[in-house]
Amino acid sequence: MPVLKTRIHELRKARNMQQLELAELVGVRRETIGNLENGKYNPSLKLAMDIAKVFELPVEEIFFFEGQE
Amino acid sequence: MHTEKKELSILTQVNLQYIFTGSCFAISGIVGFFDTLPTLIINVVTALLAVCCLAHVMVARKEMDDEMSKEHLQRAQATVLTWSQMILALGFAVPLILRFADVQAQIGKTVTLCNMFLLILGMQHIATGLLFRRYEKEGY
């Protein structure tokens, strides 16, 4: 089964943003952002789109399946 | 002086609502097998502790749940439900096994699913809480 990967950590660091700040912007807990970054949780479409909106990027530039970078 | 009440995190809520309360139910279930004054006192104390704990979770300021915690809790409950069905099915066999092993004669009480109810309920709560903690920590 393909594994969903994210660039959240990289994008967050580039913007000097804390996990908690991003979590508050998209209305989830800090733990959820941590698990997303570590590949331990697959987000809902709504959460993925909310995160994409924060970074002002298309969803597919933040979330991708392993080997499709 | 800063007196703002600290909110209960999701993990603390689950610890109190499932693991602690479940332990109280399980202890009640176990001591319920013995009809003595100390066990009756333990039963009352654990029941009161469980009620206080649930009331605290209900009235305290709580951290809002999010999609991950909802999903993890639902998944933990679903897994425990499947296990419970298996255990309940086995539970019908337990009285027969206990009778065969002469356990009931030793403890002087008939063991049925009915008087194992609190023990089963407690174990369900504990298992749900522990599974939730595991999903939160490791994913699934």
Side-chain angles (χ1 to χ4, degrees):
Chain A
M1 203 170 128
V3 180
L4 188 69
K5 295 274 178 186
T6 82
R7 288 176 56 219
I8 296 175
H9 181 75
E10 173 195 333
L11 293 166
R12 195 169 55 71
K13 288 288 163 194
R15 284 161 178 76
N16 202 19
M17 189 188 269
Q18 299 291 312
Q19 281 185 344
L20 187 61
E21 290 174 56
L22 177 59
E24 281 171 357
L25 285 171
V26 294
V28 295
R29 295 176 301 141
R30 189 195 56 76
E31 289 86 348
T32 304
I33 300 296
N35 277 3
L36 275 173
E37 288 184 359
N38 294 325
K40 291 177 182 171
Y41 177 65
N42 292 336
S44 67
L45 183 58
K46 182 188 177 300
L47 180 56
M49 292 186 81
D50 285 346
I51 291 171
K53 199 189 266 182
V54 168
F55 291 123
E56 295 171 331
L57 286 170
V59 177
E60 61 271 24
E61 281 194 30
I62 303 174
F63 299 95
F64 53 89
F65 288 108
E66 203 167 36
Q68 290 185 346
E69 287 177 62
Chain B
M1 205 171 115
H2 189 66
T3 55
E4 196 187 326
K5 266 192 188 172
K6 209 178 158 194
E7 48 180 38
L8 284 184
S9 70
I10 298 281
L11 204 58
T12 311
Q13 288 173 49
V14 168
N15 283 343
L16 289 173
Q17 197 175 340
Y18 288 90
I19 299 179
F20 184 77
T21 309
S23 304
C24 290
F25 287 155
I27 291 168
S28 271
I30 292 165
V31 298
F33 285 120
F34 310 99
D35 290 326
T36 61
L37 185 63
T39 57
L40 182 68
I41 294 167
I42 294 171
N43 240 329
V44 172
V45 171
T46 50
L48 284 175
L49 276 175
V51 171
C52 290
C53 192
L54 289 173
H56 176 59
V57 173
M58 275 176 73
V59 299
R61 268 191 68 207
K62 292 182 282 255
E63 178 185 30
M64 286 302 289
D65 52 0
D66 64 359
E67 62 170 57
M68 186 177 80
S69 66
K70 280 181 195 162
E71 193 177 323
H72 285 169
L73 192 57
Q74 279 171 2
R75 195 169 277 257
Q77 286 169 335
T79 307
V80 170
L81 183 65
T82 311
W83 291 352
S84 301
Q85 287 166 340
M86 227 160 47
I87 290 165
L88 279 175
L90 271 175
F92 286 105
V94 166
L96 290 173
I97 295 164
L98 292 178
R99 193 173 299 160
F100 183 72
D102 215 18
V103 171
Q104 294 183 129
Q106 284 172 37
I107 64 171
K109 190 163 183 168
T110 308
V111 179
T112 62
L113 267 183
C114 193
N115 55 27
M116 285 174 70
F117 171 74
L118 269 179
L119 181 60
I120 292 170
L121 187 70
M123 297 314 285
Q124 273 187 327
H125 272 64
I126 295 169
T128 306
L130 292 178
L131 265 180
F132 175 83
R133 286 173 63 104
R134 188 179 145 199
Y135 291 153
E136 285 278 302
K137 198 175 166 195
E138 298 171 14
Y140 48 80

